[in-house]
Amino acid sequence: MRTVKGPTDHVVVVGAGLSGLAAALHLLGAGRRVTVVERAALPGGRAGRIESAGYHFDTGPTVLTMPDLIDEAFAAVGERRTDRLELRPLHPAYRARFADGSELDVHTDPEAMAAEVTRFAGPRAADGYRRLRHWLQQLYAVQRHRFIDTNFDSPLQLMHPDLVRLAALGGFGRLDDRIARFLPDARLRRVFSFQALYAGVPPARALAAYAVIAYMDTVAGVYFPRGGMYALPRAMADAAADAGAAFRYGHDVTRLERTGDRITAVVTAQERIPCDAVVLTPDLPVVHRLLGRRPRRPVRLRHAPSAVILHAGTDRTWPGLAHHTLSFGAAWERTFEELTRTGRLMSDPSLLLTRPTASDPHLAPPGRHVHYILAPCPNTDTGPGAGEWRDLAPRYRDSLLAVLERRGLTGIGAAIEEYRMVTPADWTAQGLAAGTPFSAAHTFAQTGPFRPRNLVRGTENAVLAGCGTTPGVGVPTVLISGKLAAARITGLRPPRSAAGPSRPATRGVPA
């Protein structure tokens, strides 16, 4: 593994999102002095928090999986995650609601899920689910350490017996086709393949290897922190501060000072911070601006679809909603065509509805509820531009509420007391390429050693972390990216967690 050369005693981490906080904890555990510089007033980055009129809206990911990766970060500084963060396993992990009126609760316990699939689609479908679950476990075991949790220096590193094993499992076929071998029922296939959308590729075109995301959701389990998703970056920042990290909040980095091929200081509007190495976690366009160069690629980066998010504080809720509810429209292939090719808003939308107050009522005033509605949409390269969204947003909000009303959330418009709406215009204003929070799509040419690397050519002591670099998009992979960035600086490989899900000592997504 290539590492940063020269002194690395003091490392400045730019960005206090999940990747930056993970990098900071692993660096601190290896004995480095760490300063974290964050432009916002609080930690979290995209996993932020808006508080308004007693409502607490988590602005980033809502599905939390693979808590063993969180355990790794805390363990790096000698702490236990359970002392700082209480996680609750969600049962069901999701509720899926289909256009024909049918419903399916998605359980991570194999027997509970087999019973639910039997009720939903019959015993043959349950047998298919059991075989699918076994395949997902094999797929994850092959990929975790060889292809996900690793620093690539060359595509030649792929030449390993695990590559043969992945091929033998059908990992290089198409996701939709592979899932169909286990589950003939089209509704069931959606539950185990919709996750590919967040990797930026329709299930019909995604590699079957990306079923590993379905493993994280449907096998390893989905969790929710007490205090909301923002409790995770808050706990990580507190642990880093107690381990000696210095935090500079409200400091926007204006430039990187360099001598030759080394960055010697990070400069903000308030101060100059000398450093021996730097971890850069902003989105790639911001990183390239700070570095003063954009790496050459034979083909321009393709970005994943974006999303519109409606945060709604309401005076009521609806009994059919679980903590996470997938509301599928009748359309499927056409939906992905609209999102990734034609650039149109979904004509028959599939939505993720999250009701965090189902698990923690304290996130809203007494008797009130928080609802989070995520509607995938084209990014600004494919669909409406950021300027268009400023006029489009109010109409699209009304359209989403009308869809929800038709799907059983009667009176939702009148029930909203407080709301925030986030569109590609907002993502663009935050500096996110193509107006998407999901960064570069996980096409084959943008995966593993072909994804933008975390080492910077022409700069000896800069390392990247975050969803734009390896291994990619999602809470688990972003946490891994911080660990991998720290390893580039320290040369140390932190202990790996077990291949299976951890078992929290507390009660008891894609991200």
Side-chain angles (χ1 to χ4, degrees):
M1 180 183 69
R2 289 177 55 203
T3 59
V4 168
K5 304 301 181 186
T8 60
D9 295 333
H10 179 212
V11 183
V12 173
V13 177
V14 178
L18 295 178
S19 64
L21 294 170
L25 288 167
H26 286 286
L27 288 165
L28 290 162
R32 299 312 191 268
R33 185 162 65 93
V34 175
T35 301
V36 182
V37 181
E38 169 56 49
R39 67 181 177 180
L42 295 169
R46 297 179 207 187
R49 167 67 60 85
I50 296 172
E51 297 183 10
S52 181
Y55 291 100
H56 301 265
F57 300 125
D58 289 318
T59 61
T62 62
V63 179
L64 181 61
T65 62
M66 307 306 294
D68 56 299
L69 296 171
I70 305 171
D71 296 342
E72 283 185 351
F74 283 107
V77 292
E79 293 218 22
R80 295 188 309 170
R81 182 259 305 160
T82 52
D83 292 335
R84 290 192 179 265
L85 186 70
E86 180 183 342
L87 296 184
R88 171 184 298 185
L90 297 182
H91 303 298
Y94 296 100
R95 175 166 294 151
R97 305 176 78 177
F98 300 93
D100 64 1
S102 59
E103 290 189 0
L104 173 79
D105 280 353
V106 180
H107 299 283
T108 52
D109 176 79
E111 295 310 313
M113 187 59 183
E116 177 69 354
V117 172
T118 298
R119 178 198 66 78
F120 183 79
R124 290 185 63 186
D127 290 340
Y129 158 73
R130 292 187 180 94
R131 290 185 289 108
L132 171 62
R133 184 185 177 96
H134 179 66
W135 178 71
L136 292 173
Q137 291 170 318
Q138 291 178 302
L139 200 66
Y140 178 76
V142 167
Q143 290 190 73
R144 166 67 193 271
H145 296 312
R146 179 58 52 185
F147 303 113
I148 300 174
D149 190 1
T150 193
N151 272 315
F152 283 101
D153 293 320
S154 166
L156 295 177
Q157 285 176 249
L158 292 172
M159 299 298 106
H160 185 275
D162 280 344
L163 186 70
V164 178
R165 297 185 185 100
L166 182 58
L169 287 169
F172 296 107
R174 296 302 175 193
L175 176 62
D176 215 20
D177 292 342
R178 178 59 56 169
I179 298 294
R181 295 189 182 193
F182 301 101
L183 302 173
D185 188 293
R187 298 167 301 171
L188 287 175
R189 290 202 301 273
R190 291 188 187 188
V191 170
F192 292 92
S193 64
F194 81 92
Q195 298 89 347
L197 176 61
Y198 302 114
V201 187
R205 300 203 304 269
L207 291 177
Y210 286 117
V212 72
I213 309 174
Y215 166 87
M216 295 176 184
D217 282 1
T218 66
V219 178
V222 177
Y223 297 81
F224 187 71
R226 182 177 183 180
M229 288 291 288
Y230 184 69
L232 172 58
R234 180 76 268 175
M236 293 176 71
D238 289 345
D242 288 349
F247 282 84
R248 301 286 193 272
Y249 293 115
H251 282 220
D252 199 0
V253 175
T254 57
R255 64 187 177 92
L256 303 175
E257 192 175 289
R258 66 167 64 224
T259 300
D261 290 338
R262 293 189 70 84
I263 293 169
T264 54
V266 173
V267 181
T268 74
Q270 292 90 345
E271 64 177 314
R272 174 185 179 273
I273 307 172
C275 64
D276 298 309
V278 61
V279 176
L280 302 170
T281 72
D283 209 36
L284 292 177
V286 177
V287 169
H288 296 156
R289 176 178 57 79
L290 291 173
L291 290 171
R293 65 184 300 273
R294 180 187 298 272
R296 293 181 181 177
R297 290 182 64 89
V299 179
R300 182 185 177 195
L301 277 178
R302 285 180 52 196
H303 289 87
S306 185
V308 170
I309 299 173
L310 179 61
H311 303 278
T314 64
D315 62 9
R316 57 164 296 190
T317 189
W318 292 265
L321 297 179
H323 185 111
H324 294 299
T325 300
L326 296 164
S327 176
F328 290 110
W332 192 238
E333 288 82 4
R334 185 177 80 236
T335 294
F336 289 104
E337 185 77 9
E338 291 166 340
L339 291 172
T340 64
R341 292 183 183 261
T342 67
R344 299 191 183 103
L345 299 178
M346 292 182 292
S347 54
D348 184 16
S350 290
L351 308 170
L352 171 63
L353 312 178
T354 296
R355 183 167 62 103
T357 41
S359 299
D360 190 344
H362 296 97
L363 296 173
R368 300 301 194 260
H369 305 270
V370 170
H371 297 87
Y372 167 111
I373 298 100
L374 184 149
C377 70
N379 64 44
T380 56
D381 286 345
T382 306
E388 295 173 83
W389 269 106
R390 294 185 179 94
D391 296 326
L392 178 59
R395 298 197 304 274
Y396 193 58
R397 170 188 178 271
D398 292 344
S399 174
L400 285 177
L401 293 178
V403 169
L404 294 172
E405 182 90 28
R406 291 195 299 270
R407 294 183 185 177
L409 274 65
T410 306
I412 184 170
I416 295 176
E417 296 183 328
E418 196 75 17
Y419 83 94
R420 295 289 187 276
M421 188 167 179
V422 183
T423 75
D426 299 290
W427 306 124
T428 300
Q430 293 178 29
L432 306 187
T436 175
F438 302 115
S439 194
H442 282 262
T443 61
F444 180 78
Q446 296 178 178
T447 296
F450 309 112
R451 198 165 180 81
R453 297 189 188 177
N454 58 7
L455 286 180
V456 178
R457 185 172 297 172
T459 304
E460 291 184 353
N461 61 340
V463 187
L464 308 188
C467 59
T469 185
T470 53
V473 178
V475 173
T477 41
V478 163
L479 292 171
I480 290 173
S481 81
K483 180 178 70 168
L484 295 178
R488 290 288 195 187
I489 291 172
T490 66
L492 302 175
R493 181 73 196 195
R496 286 165 165 167
S497 63
S502 65
R503 299 194 178 276
T506 55
R507 285 173 287 179
V509 106

